[in-house]
Amino acid sequence: MTSIRRAGLFAVLLLSLLQWQPCAFAETSEQSPGFTRKQAREGGKAYQQYCAECHGTELEGVGIVPPLVGSRFDSAWRGKPADILSFHLRRMPPAPVAESGSLSDEIYTNILAHIFKSNDLESGRVKLPADPAVLAGLTIPKLEGVEYDPVVPVEKSAAQTALLNNLPAVTDQMLQNPSPDDWLHWGRTYNGQSYSPLKQINKENVKGLKPVWRAPLIHGSSMSMPVVNQGVMFLQTFPDTVIAMDATSGAVLWRYKREVTGRSSKKMGLSLHEDRVYVATSDLHVVALNAKTGELVWDHRMELGAEDAPRRRYQTRSAPLVAGNVVIQSTLAFRVPRGSYIIGIDRKSGKEVWRFNTVAWPGQPGGNTWNGLPVNERNGGSVWQQGTYDPESNLVYYGIAPTYDTAPLLVPSEEEGVTNEAMYTNCTVALNADTGELVWYFQHTQNDQWDMDWAFERTIAELPAEDGGTVKAVMNVGKNGMLDAVDAATGQFLFSVDSGAQNVIVAVDPKTGAKTIDPSKMPNPENPTVICPIPFGARAWPQTSYSPDTNYVYVPITESCFGMTETGKGGRLLTTGVGFTGAPQPALDDGMMGRLQAIDVANHRLAWNTDQVTPPSTGILSTAGGLVFSGDIDPSLKAFDDATGKLLWQAPLDDAPTSSLISYKVADRQYVAVVVGMTNNFIRDITRHYRQWSKTEGKPGDRGGASIWVFAL
């Protein structure tokens, strides 16, 4: 019985692995793996002893277990580095042994040689190495003249067809009070807590967590969070593609691909409501798809200007937010006159019903905070992430990024009544969901001259109040690693907690939340100084998580600093002309560049922190099982004790995890999912930073390719 269960578990994993269709690898002169006849012969014996029970005596596959020869091997592995196949071979538990990786390096290498020989690779005098670093330089050769389809055709079984046909509509009630089993929304719930009430996987049994399926994706720019409704997973991925998958196996149920001209912009996710999937596209449209078929229902083009350069500088990245009858989509604007927008679209007709400009214009609240600049010279105010929604007050909350054109704001104007705070940059704004009307705003840092955004998720939570009751708070953590909390109804400041990753803000007014800036940190070419963190942030787009069980917010942090130096040296710091370059990293003396920080928001103080060698690269997931999940560029997925930060479990991955983490349940089984191998600015920056400053040996692995990994007990 044990071997049958083991075979089923890892059959699903290999089945998904062998659905891989490599994407347009160029023909190269990369070296093919060599092996000796003796290695292949010994590997054949080892294969019969340890592998044939599941994969067949001739590598032909048994039952649902896929073959390791023929066309399935060709589409799965040709054109890929040999170390990736070796990595997954070692993950499979040999038949008489309970644990994966329990055979010797020699045996695993010989089995790999046997697989190569069985697929007509030629043996020779050079032995196949066991060292993964050497295998990484060897490429399994393609077959001459054979083209591989980068997208697996959709072939649904009767059961999968029934799964789609029986998919329930996502009602307002479901979004406001979702089943613990589902992950219906970016952050799981309207409050953006990224917390799962599931507890089948817990502190006691998390060590038994294993990969159960892996589905390949086309490599590209993305950091998407999947969503799951009743066993169907929806994922927006590169390039402008939406896929519906069986959440228990990774089998593709339908695929929608939008053909856009130009580059596909990085995406964070999609939204579900009723029988539709809502998606933002790289060509600045919002589309509604049929959730059961993937067919287009409506297509709305956001009117952001003529088809010229300014329009191309707009982007969409966040998932749409469905609030009642409105689909709300934010945009990014890079030095576009008048700034960026948050736009409300009628979810039934696809027509725009309101828009909010994120840069305050003259005559609007905060309109006199741009140092006297005319409206056409004000820009920025991008919105990177999906907002959160409070149905009780009908308010949506968004975070707004700074401007990159900082030079006109550096020196305050002498005009009476004019300031250089630059509203609504670095603000939390509360908007009426039906009308887009601004209800209140709170600025976290004025006149940002360092690109230290407060642009990320706004988390809503009921927290203890000073009068002994509770207060509904909106919390967020800026790039500098500092947490601010404000009253969700009024925007009144509540408290701040500093993680200690920054050195620009020296004080916070306990009543107003106004920040006091160290004057020596202002851009000044005559005063070189060290600023922490670096502009990519102590934290960036990977979202925090709030657990109502502990009243802790969990923050992924990268330790970093940079030198602000004289003009003409190093990179350019926004438009002030001041340069920036590398600087000593005082926090890295212990070789620990990453940190998972718990903040006790009930008592307004830091709780535990756990240091790690490599920086976190995913959003954080907390669960009712007492666990906090985080991925990092090790590359690995880890689980920590939510109360103490103790590392309880970790699993190696074949590429850097680059998405938000989710957990869901289907047929009484809880799963944890993560996307790996995609690119985005944050992954690029922290990987480069790690390789430049780390004192540890080696570097993060990044060769397995884009895919989604799913784990379960």
Side-chain angles (χ1 to χ4, degrees), residues 185-186 189-192 318-321 328 330 383 385-389 396-399 456-458:
H185 194 270
W186 198 92
T189 47
Y190 272 140
N191 57 25
S318 71
L321 170 63
I328 305 172
S330 61
V383 183
Q385 291 188 335
Q386 187 190 58
T388 46
Y389 176 46
V396 292
Y397 306 96
Y398 278 89
F456 309 114
E457 72 287 341
R458 266 48 185 172

Side-chain angles (χ1 to χ4, degrees), residues 450-453 479 533-537 560 562 573 580 685:
W450 315 271
D451 193 23
M452 293 297 171
D453 306 38
K479 269 189 182 179
I534 207 164
F536 62 68
S560 65
F562 72 103
L573 183 59
F580 68 93
D685 289 340

Side-chain angles (χ1 to χ4, degrees), residues 9-62:
L9 174 67
F10 287 94
V12 173
L13 174 62
L14 269 189
L15 178 64
S16 59
L17 287 175
L18 292 177
Q19 289 176 338
W20 170 258
Q21 302 288 334
C23 55
F25 287 98
E27 294 294 337
T28 69
S29 57
E30 293 171 316
Q31 185 178 355
S32 300
F35 58 92
T36 66
R37 186 177 300 177
K38 180 180 179 181
Q39 282 182 305
R41 184 170 60 250
E42 294 299 319
K45 297 176 183 177
Y47 175 87
Q48 295 302 325
Q49 181 178 356
Y50 299 114
C51 309
E53 177 182 339
C54 294
H55 289 278
T57 58
E58 303 296 328
L59 292 83
E60 75 279 10
V62 175

Side-chain angles (χ1 to χ4, degrees), residues 27-148:
E27 294 294 337
T28 69
S29 57
E30 293 171 316
Q31 185 178 355
S32 300
F35 58 92
T36 66
R37 186 177 300 177
K38 180 180 179 181
Q39 282 182 305
R41 184 170 60 250
E42 294 299 319
K45 297 176 183 177
Y47 175 87
Q48 295 302 325
Q49 181 178 356
Y50 299 114
C51 309
E53 177 182 339
C54 294
H55 289 278
T57 58
E58 303 296 328
L59 292 83
E60 75 279 10
V62 175
I64 66 169
V65 180
L68 295 173
V69 290
S71 60
R72 295 296 292 278
F73 177 88
D74 296 339
S75 62
W77 300 111
R78 290 191 183 272
K80 302 197 75 179
D83 65 319
I84 304 303
L85 178 55
S86 175
F87 173 88
H88 289 289
L89 176 66
R90 291 166 185 261
R91 294 193 69 91
M92 302 303 108
V97 185
E99 295 297 328
S100 60
S102 54
L103 303 179
S104 68
D105 286 346
E106 181 181 12
I107 292 176
Y108 280 119
T109 305
N110 289 344
I111 294 174
L112 188 60
H114 171 64
I115 294 173
F116 289 156
K117 179 66 175 177
S118 301
N119 284 280
D120 299 323
L121 274 69
E122 293 293 333
S123 60
R125 296 182 178 181
V126 178
K127 292 186 67 175
L128 183 66
D131 185 353
V134 180
L135 287 173
L138 305 175
T139 301
I140 303 171
K142 289 185 176 182
L143 295 176
E144 186 176 355
V146 176
E147 296 293 332
Y148 299 105

Side-chain angles (χ1 to χ4, degrees), residues 380-690:
S382 294
V383 183
W384 296 87
Q385 291 188 335
Q386 187 190 58
T388 46
Y389 176 46
D390 178 17
E392 185 178 39
S393 64
N394 198 36
L395 295 182
V396 292
Y397 306 96
Y398 278 89
I400 299 176
T403 179
Y404 300 115
D405 188 13
T406 52
L409 301 170
L410 182 59
V411 180
S413 168
E414 296 181 357
E415 184 179 351
E416 185 177 355
V418 173
T419 70
N420 63 347
E421 297 164 332
M423 300 299 177
Y424 307 104
T425 66
N426 280 340
C427 283
T428 297
V429 296
L431 309 178
N432 181 291
D434 294 332
T435 66
E437 176 188 2
L438 177 65
V439 176
W440 59 255
Y441 61 94
F442 177 88
Q443 190 171 50
H444 301 276
T445 301
Q446 71 276 18
N447 187 19
D448 181 357
Q449 293 285 329
W450 315 271
D451 193 23
M452 293 297 171
D453 306 38
W454 293 74
F456 309 114
E457 72 287 341
R458 266 48 185 172
T459 303
I460 308 170
E462 292 282 350
L463 301 180
E466 293 182 356
D467 61 5
T470 61
V471 59
K472 184 179 291 185
V474 177
M475 301 179 290
N476 78 105
V477 178
K479 269 189 182 179
N480 60 13
M482 179 179 287
L483 179 145
D484 273 0
V486 298
D487 188 301
T490 65
Q492 180 181 354
F493 176 74
L494 298 174
F495 63 87
S496 284
V497 182
D498 188 359
S499 69
Q502 64 88 30
N503 66 356
V504 174
I505 297 170
V506 295
V508 181
D509 187 299
K511 292 185 178 180
T512 67
K515 313 297 193 297
T516 300
I517 306 299
D518 182 344
S520 70
K521 304 303 181 184
M522 294 298 289
N524 184 348
E526 298 178 359
N527 180 38
T529 187
V530 173
I531 299 214
C532 306
I534 207 164
F536 62 68
R539 63 78 47 111
W541 70 261
Q543 82 277 6
T544 61
S545 176
Y546 168 75
S547 170
D549 303 322
T550 61
N551 280 327
Y552 288 176
V553 170
Y554 303 98
V555 188
I557 287 179
T558 301
E559 306 283 2
S560 65
C561 301
F562 72 103
M564 190 164 57
T565 185
E566 61 190 275
T567 305
K569 290 189 176 180
R572 190 177 178 185
L573 183 59
L574 305 177
T575 60
T576 57
V578 176
F580 68 93
T581 186
Q585 305 290 311
L588 302 187
D589 292 341
D590 59 359
M592 299 291 185
M593 185 173 287
R595 190 206 317 175
L596 183 58
Q597 178 69 62
I599 299 177
D600 180 350
V601 291
N603 296 294
H604 313 168
R605 65 190 181 190
L606 297 177
W608 55 260
N609 75 80
T610 298
D611 293 332
Q612 55 191 50
V613 173
T614 54
S617 58
T618 69
I620 305 300
L621 165 67
S622 60
T623 75
L627 300 171
V628 176
F629 288 92
S630 172
D632 58 80
I633 60 171
D634 186 33
S636 65
L637 183 64
K638 294 181 171 71
F640 303 85
D641 187 307
D642 66 353
T644 67
K646 179 182 178 182
L647 178 64
L648 301 178
W649 169 86
Q650 60 182 325
L653 301 168
D654 62 356
D655 214 316
T658 53
S659 75
S660 303
L661 308 177
I662 71 166
S663 186
Y664 59 94
K665 193 175 184 181
V666 183
D668 295 324
R669 192 179 200 189
Q670 183 183 353
Y671 299 85
V672 175
V674 59
V675 175
V676 310
M678 304 301 273
T679 58
N680 55 67
N681 293 358
F682 180 66
I683 289 295
R684 178 201 65 201
D685 289 340
I686 63 170
T687 301
R688 182 172 56 199
H689 183 66
Y690 175 81

Side-chain angles (χ1 to χ4, degrees), residues 150-191:
V151 178
V152 180
V154 176
E155 297 178 356
K156 296 190 294 290
S157 67
Q160 291 164 346
T161 300
L163 178 63
L164 279 177
N165 290 341
N166 296 327
L167 186 67
V170 178
T171 64
D172 287 331
Q173 181 62 30
M174 290 168 64
L175 286 172
Q176 294 177 27
N177 297 286
S179 163
D181 296 351
D182 293 331
W183 194 284
L184 296 177
H185 194 270
W186 198 92
R188 200 186 84 85
T189 47
Y190 272 140
N191 57 25

